[in-house]
Amino acid sequence: MEQSNTVYPEILKRNSLKVTQPRLKVLEIISTKDSAISQPELEKLLGKDIDRVTLYRVLASFEEKGIIHKIFDLHGTATYAMCSTNCSEHDHHDQHVHFICRVCNSVYCLDEITLPKVNIPNGFSLEAIAVNALGVCNHCKK
């Protein structure tokens, strides 16, 4: 989901977040990746620019606001990907399948495959649905 640099400040403002360099940098990295990215991978890419605590706070605020969503890879590590544009702080719409490569452990959002509505019992409250497809990505297949 490639976006121009002028879009990042607008995403932050629309979500009532202060425009800061750490937030802009994390948003830029996540939005330009073709697969979900883990916090350790983000740390490597950011280098000394952002400390670990700030990164955790940025990821938590982005997830809370509906800017990113969290997917767990095969090893149980949290990875992060951009939410669709119609997600908000109180209403996530990222109910789609995630493809996990069993070779490189990369996680890809399959946005075009939506999940059916899940009817839950009265009194229950649905917070998330996780459906993963496991296989080999095109990079590892070569």
Side-chain angles (χ1 to χ4, degrees):
M1 179 189 304
E2 187 89 24
Q3 299 180 14
S4 74
N5 288 341
T6 58
V7 174
Y8 305 134
E10 182 54 39
I11 291 171
L12 296 174
K13 289 175 189 172
R14 185 173 60 237
N15 287 282
S16 303
L17 291 170
K18 187 176 175 185
V19 177
T20 65
Q21 282 307 311
R23 286 180 176 146
L24 290 171
K25 190 67 178 164
V26 170
L27 193 55
E28 178 184 359
I29 291 170
I30 292 175
S31 66
T32 56
K33 296 281 292 171
D34 67 340
S35 62
I37 187 167
S38 68
Q39 174 266 327
E41 288 176 282
L42 276 167
E43 277 187 42
K44 285 180 195 170
L45 291 173
L46 293 165
K48 301 284 183 206
D49 292 344
I50 301 174
D51 63 81
R52 183 173 287 165
V53 173
T54 301
L55 179 56
Y56 281 129
R57 287 181 182 150
V58 167
L59 292 172
S61 66
F62 283 3
E63 189 177 9
E64 178 183 308
K65 294 288 187 177
I67 298 171
I68 63 173
H69 62 284
K70 184 188 304 184
I71 314 105
F72 292 94
D73 66 15
L74 292 176
H75 304 297
T77 302
T79 63
Y80 301 90
M82 293 297 291
C83 280
S84 65
T85 54
N86 58 346
C87 286
S88 69
E89 183 173 0
H90 303 290
D91 198 14
H92 280 268
H93 294 284
D94 278 307
Q95 308 296 339
H96 55 260
V97 175
H98 294 97
F99 183 91
I100 304 175
C101 178
R102 65 174 176 76
V103 177
C104 68
N105 201 32
S106 292
V107 179
Y108 299 88
C109 292
L110 303 180
D111 296 317
E112 63 281 353
I113 303 173
T114 56
L115 302 176
K117 182 180 180 328
V118 176
N119 294 319
I120 58 171
N122 287 337
F124 285 60
S125 129
L126 181 65
E127 294 180 359
I129 299 173
V131 176
N132 297 325
L134 180 64
V136 180
C137 72
N138 61 343
H139 301 293
C140 293
K141 201 145 187 161
K142 293 177 184 174

